[in-house]
Amino acid sequence: MTDIEVLDETGTNATLQHRIDRILTEVVPLVHPTTELDLPHLVIFRIVSPQTWQSEQLTQMNQAFTALRARQPWWKMLAVVRREAAARSVFRRTAPLLRDLVMGATLSGPDLLSETILTPQGLHHTGVSTDETYLTQVVAHQLVHHAQNRASKHGTRWADSRSAPPRLAISVLEGGTPAGPTGR
């Protein structure tokens, strides 16, 4: 049994909160039959401001690089530090531009739980908030990430993805094939 929590941290999106809750209620029972992955006991979706999205992404990046540094031998540390510096530089430049366009992200949380953060601005600017089909697709897509995170025990981290070809890492995280939708 999976419990669902949808939180409106903006305090101004009760309608969106109810829509997402309804969609999750319909989609949660479909995840295991479709993916053969189990969801965690609690699924959390948070509606947040773009600033909170940016802050949460920075926290995830910090945690990922801290964990990566802890696993590296001393002779590889310089390469990790360089990668971290490059990632921080890109994040500082792009996050303020993207935060009003990104619909959502599923983040690793404590105790092997995940949280999906959605920004009303991103859903609005991309046209998703006005189309129930697309909103359902976004919510379902993010929901599957909860099951993927549970199955991998949060073992797939973007900071570690350099060891695999970038397209393969993204395909694994996003559920596609490395060569695209046709598999070629």
Side-chain angles (χ1 to χ4, degrees):
M1 178 71 181
T2 299
D3 292 324
I4 301 168
E5 263 187 50
V6 181
L7 310 169
D8 176 14
E9 295 181 12
T10 66
T12 59
N13 290 282
T15 302
L16 179 61
Q17 179 183 12
H18 293 298
R19 288 173 65 204
I20 291 169
D21 187 57
R22 182 187 46 73
I23 290 168
L24 284 169
T25 301
E26 294 171 6
V27 175
V28 162
L30 304 175
V31 172
H32 182 76
T34 304
T35 66
E36 296 184 4
L37 297 173
D38 292 322
L39 286 165
H41 64 89
L42 178 62
V43 168
I44 301 169
F45 274 63
R46 296 168 44 216
I47 300 168
V48 301
S49 69
Q51 296 79 6
T52 299
W53 173 87
Q54 184 174 340
S55 173
E56 297 277 340
Q57 293 288 26
L58 184 58
T59 298
Q60 285 287 290
M61 183 171 61
N62 290 338
Q63 290 171 352
F65 276 113
T66 297
L68 182 61
R69 282 192 310 270
R71 293 189 308 271
Q72 298 303 310
W74 66 268
W75 63 85
K76 290 187 179 180
M77 200 56 66
L78 182 58
V80 172
V81 170
R82 284 182 178 157
R83 259 181 55 212
E84 183 175 0
R88 287 182 187 287
S89 175
V90 169
F91 185 79
R92 272 193 306 276
R93 287 191 320 267
T94 59
L97 303 171
L98 293 176
R99 68 183 191 190
D100 289 331
L101 297 174
V102 172
M103 295 170 278
T106 298
L107 310 171
S108 299
D111 302 323
L112 297 182
L113 289 178
S114 302
E115 295 181 342
T116 295
I117 53 175
L118 300 167
T119 63
Q121 292 85 343
L123 293 170
H124 174 74
H125 289 298
T126 57
V128 170
S129 65
T130 59
D131 189 311
E132 201 69 17
T133 300
Y134 289 130
L135 182 60
T136 300
Q137 288 176 350
V138 167
V139 169
H141 176 89
Q142 295 302 325
L143 180 63
V144 170
H145 286 314
H146 288 254
Q148 289 172 318
N149 285 346
R150 183 180 179 277
S152 71
K153 295 184 172 82
H154 296 283
T156 307
R157 296 263 188 164
W158 69 269
D160 295 330
S161 65
R162 194 169 229 184
S163 61
R167 289 186 68 200
L168 177 60
I170 294 302
S171 295
V172 169
L173 289 170
E174 295 302 323
T177 62
T182 63
R184 292 183 226 161

